[in-house]
């Protein structure tokens, strides 16, 4: 409002100035035409006819001056608004990360932003003297300008097209651009405008993604092949082991029996390695499915540990297990895979323990899921595992260190397989260990209760031993500590 009043005042002053000037000129003219009158009299007291004429002229000058001033002010306002709009759009164009360009019909640059210089590597002075064809090879230029001709003929913009740009440092950069036609106010085509985006990083990410997918497909195909070859690989080896055991039942001299024992031991070791590899491949290929059968936990655990008892006894180790009384005995789950986890953990404990004991404990999880969640722990008094090695111990083909692999052997797959089997059983596995103080492997697993089972296992529920003095003699380290 204040601006409008200011403009109006200027127009009034301009009108009065023109009117005063016209009155003065008329008075001077009358002075020369009428000799008996002074100039001051002509200015102050003109004749009636002259007065009317001067007033008409003054009014005309007032109207003309006011209109002229109004037109000038309007034009100035329009120019200022246009300048502000151009500055606003220029600042927006300069602020965007994409390159903005305008070229004439021949391909010469007429306008561009700083991002265009950054993408091409040229300075503003260099790019201003360039034709767009200089930023690409001849074949690409022909393709792009053919696209421009289509835009020129149809008037329809192209939202996205890709090209390869040659930067100032001769590097080839993949870019993505759009293009539309620039028209004059009367509708004539003046050139083209568009946005240019450097997609080098995106192309690298797409290439890495494709390579990753190809590697995953290859790995999956390998795993599926090994999983499908399970029967073909195991069957001949089982036959060899069976024939060796049959020959060992015959009359052999001591040297022959010793040699066949070595062969049988090597065959079992090879079978163990093959079983680990095939089981791991089957899990990786997604072909392993858990079974759901009923089993008695305490009897099953005792039978499983009995398999490892001979190895533990050979090393003079104490092997024991403890199941808390509140643990249900009749469960439904995959007992075969459950035994595989137990044997892997106990087998490792036996392998890496030279003296002391190995204790397997079963208790309830702190937070149970829908079915009974059991917490298993395998504690040994072995060599322990350094903290920096513990995070990788459950990865495939990983062992604590190279010397362990040479001294104790193994594929490094046992814990990886156990980890994945535990995950399939809805649990988790972790480790607590200190070098020289032994290790404790923990894992949880979820089972279902057998609906046909009578009651929860209740140890000595029919006997009352209250008040009876009992002497317990046991050399187990757990009881002595």
């Amino acid at each position: 409002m204040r601006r409008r009043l200011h403009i109006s005042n200027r127009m009034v002053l301009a009108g009065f100035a023109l009117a005063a000037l016209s009155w003065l000129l008329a008075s001077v003219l009358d002075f020369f035409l009428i000799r008996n009158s002074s100039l001051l009299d002509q200015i102050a007291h003109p004749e009636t006819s002259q007065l009317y004429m001067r007033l008409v002229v003054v009014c005309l000058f007032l109207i003309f001056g006011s209109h002229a001033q109004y037109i000038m002010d309007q034009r100035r306002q329009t120019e200022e608004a246009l300048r502000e709009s151009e500055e606003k759009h220029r600042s927006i164009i300069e602020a965007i990360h994409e390159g903005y360009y305008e070229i004439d019909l021949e391909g010469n640059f007429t306008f561009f932003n700083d991002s265009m210089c950054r993408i091409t590597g040229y300075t503003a002075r260099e790019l201003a003297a360039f034709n767009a064809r200089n930023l690409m090879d001849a074949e690409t230029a022909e393709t792009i300008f053919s696209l421009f001709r289509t835009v020129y003929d149809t008037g329809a913009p192209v939202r996205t097209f890709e090209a390869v740009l040659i930067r100032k440092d001769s590097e080839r950069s993949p870019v993505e651009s759009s293009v539309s036609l620039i028209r004059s106010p009367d509708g004539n085509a003046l050139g083209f405008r568009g946005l240019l985006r450097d997609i080098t990083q995106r192309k690298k990410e797409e290439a890495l993604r494709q390579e990753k997918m190809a590697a995953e497909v290859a790995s999956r195909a390998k795993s599926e092949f090994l999983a499908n070859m399970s029967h073909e690989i195991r069957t001949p080896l089982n036959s060899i082991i069976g024939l060796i055991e049959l020959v060992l039942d015959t009359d052999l001299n001591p040297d022959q029996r010793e040699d066949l024992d070595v062969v049988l031991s090597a065959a079992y070791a090879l079978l163990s390695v093959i079983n680990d590899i095939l089981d791991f491949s089957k899990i990786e290929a997604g072909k392993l499915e858990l079974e759901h059968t009923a089993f008695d936990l305490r009897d099953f655990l005792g039978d499983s540990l009995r398999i490892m008892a001979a190895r533990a006894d050979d090393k003079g180790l104490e092997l024991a297990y403890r199941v808390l009384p509140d643990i249900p005995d009749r469960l439904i789950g995959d007992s075969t895979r459950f035994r595989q986890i137990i044997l892997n953990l106990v087998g490792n404990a036996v392998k890496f323990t030279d003296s002391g004991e190995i204790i397997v404990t079963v208790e309830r999880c702190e937070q149970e899921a829908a079915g009974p969640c059991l917490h298993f722990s395998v504690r040994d008094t072995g060599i322990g595992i350094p903290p920096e090695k513990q995070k990788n111990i459950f990865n495939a083909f990983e062992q604590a260190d190279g010397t362990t692999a040479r001294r104790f052997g193994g594929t490094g797959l046992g814990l990886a397989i156990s980890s994945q089997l535990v995950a399939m059983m809805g649990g988790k596995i972790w480790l607590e260990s200190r070098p020289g103080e032994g290790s404790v492997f923990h894992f949880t697993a979820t089972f279902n209760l057998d609906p046909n089972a009578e009651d929860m296992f209740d140890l000595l529920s029919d006997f009352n031993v209250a008040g009876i003095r009992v002497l317990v003699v046991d050399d187990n380290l757990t009881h002595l500590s």
Side-chain angles (χ1 to χ4, degrees), residues 342-413:
I342 293 294
L343 292 182
N344 273 333
L345 297 181
V346 174
N348 277 343
V350 173
K351 182 189 301 184
F352 299 114
T353 303
D354 293 328
S355 62
E357 63 179 9
I358 299 168
I359 305 296
V360 180
T361 305
V362 185
E363 55 189 351
R364 284 187 177 274
C365 299
E366 294 182 359
Q367 296 180 348
E368 292 196 359
C373 177
L374 302 184
H375 175 196
F376 300 85
S377 62
V378 179
R379 180 174 59 84
D380 64 59
T381 56
I383 60 176
I385 300 172
E388 65 273 11
K389 301 293 184 179
Q390 294 179 17
K391 60 181 180 180
N392 297 324
I393 202 68
F394 295 106
N395 294 338
F397 305 106
E398 289 281 350
Q399 290 187 332
D401 54 37
T403 58
T404 300
R406 288 191 295 270
R407 177 183 174 189
F408 297 101
T411 61
L413 284 176

Side-chain angles (χ1 to χ4, degrees), residues 248 250-262:
L248 285 172
T250 63
D251 293 332
L252 300 172
N253 61 49
D255 291 337
Q256 291 174 328
R257 185 170 298 278
E258 182 180 356
D259 292 340
L260 285 177
D261 284 336
V262 173

Side-chain angles (χ1 to χ4, degrees), residues 101-103 107-112 116 127-128 130-132 135:
Y101 64 91
E102 292 181 2
I103 58 175
N108 300 308
F109 284 100
T110 58
F111 179 77
F112 46 85
M116 193 70 185
L127 200 59
F130 260 40
N131 188 285
L135 297 176

Side-chain angles (χ1 to χ4, degrees), residues 294 330 332 449-455:
R330 190 71 172 173
I332 294 179
L449 290 176
D450 186 358
N452 299 321
E454 296 180 356
D455 293 320

Side-chain angles (χ1 to χ4, degrees), residues 119-134:
I119 293 174
T120 61
Y122 290 95
T123 64
R125 184 185 297 274
E126 292 170 335
L127 200 59
F130 260 40
N131 188 285
R133 293 178 181 271
N134 297 335

Side-chain angles (χ1 to χ4, degrees), residues 224-435:
E224 290 180 355
F225 171 77
L226 287 175
N228 293 330
M229 290 293 291
S230 172
H231 178 73
E232 285 73 10
I233 295 176
R234 282 190 177 107
T235 300
L237 188 56
N238 285 327
S239 300
I240 293 172
I241 292 174
L243 288 174
I244 294 174
E245 291 177 342
L246 288 175
V247 174
L248 285 172
D249 291 336
T250 63
D251 293 332
L252 300 172
N253 61 49
D255 291 337
Q256 291 174 328
R257 185 170 298 278
E258 182 180 356
D259 292 340
L260 285 177
D261 284 336
V262 173
V263 174
L264 183 61
S265 176
Y268 274 118
L270 180 59
L271 180 61
S272 176
V273 173
I274 291 175
N275 284 337
D276 283 346
I277 294 175
L278 294 178
D279 284 342
F280 183 77
S281 300
K282 187 176 290 186
I283 294 173
E284 288 289 300
K287 291 184 173 292
L288 183 64
E289 295 182 0
L290 297 180
E291 298 179 354
H292 298 280
T293 57
F295 64 95
D296 296 323
L297 175 62
R298 289 164 176 81
D299 292 340
F300 173 82
L301 198 58
D303 293 339
S304 299
L305 294 182
R306 194 172 293 114
I307 299 174
M308 306 300 301
R311 290 178 53 190
D313 185 65
D314 289 341
K315 299 184 70 173
L317 302 176
E318 181 79 19
L319 178 59
Y321 70 96
R322 183 168 66 98
V323 182
L324 298 187
D326 63 340
I327 302 298
D329 193 55
R330 190 71 172 173
L331 303 175
I332 294 179
D334 194 329
S335 58
T336 301
R337 297 303 175 183
F338 175 54
R339 175 184 278 118
Q340 188 173 358
I341 298 171
I342 293 294
L343 292 182
N344 273 333
L345 297 181
V346 174
N348 277 343
V350 173
K351 182 189 301 184
F352 299 114
T353 303
D354 293 328
S355 62
E357 63 179 9
I358 299 168
I359 305 296
V360 180
T361 305
V362 185
E363 55 189 351
R364 284 187 177 274
C365 299
E366 294 182 359
Q367 296 180 348
E368 292 196 359
C373 177
L374 302 184
H375 175 196
F376 300 85
S377 62
V378 179
R379 180 174 59 84
D380 64 59
T381 56
I383 60 176
I385 300 172
E388 65 273 11
K389 301 293 184 179
Q390 294 179 17
K391 60 181 180 180
N392 297 324
I393 202 68
F394 295 106
N395 294 338
F397 305 106
E398 289 281 350
Q399 290 187 332
D401 54 37
T403 58
T404 300
R406 288 191 295 270
R407 177 183 174 189
F408 297 101
T411 61
L413 284 176
L415 291 178
I417 294 172
S418 298
S419 176
Q420 297 193 43
L421 290 176
V422 166
M424 294 177 67
M425 294 181 178
K428 61 179 181 179
I429 188 169
W430 69 98
L431 165 68
E432 297 176 357
S433 181
R434 291 184 180 179

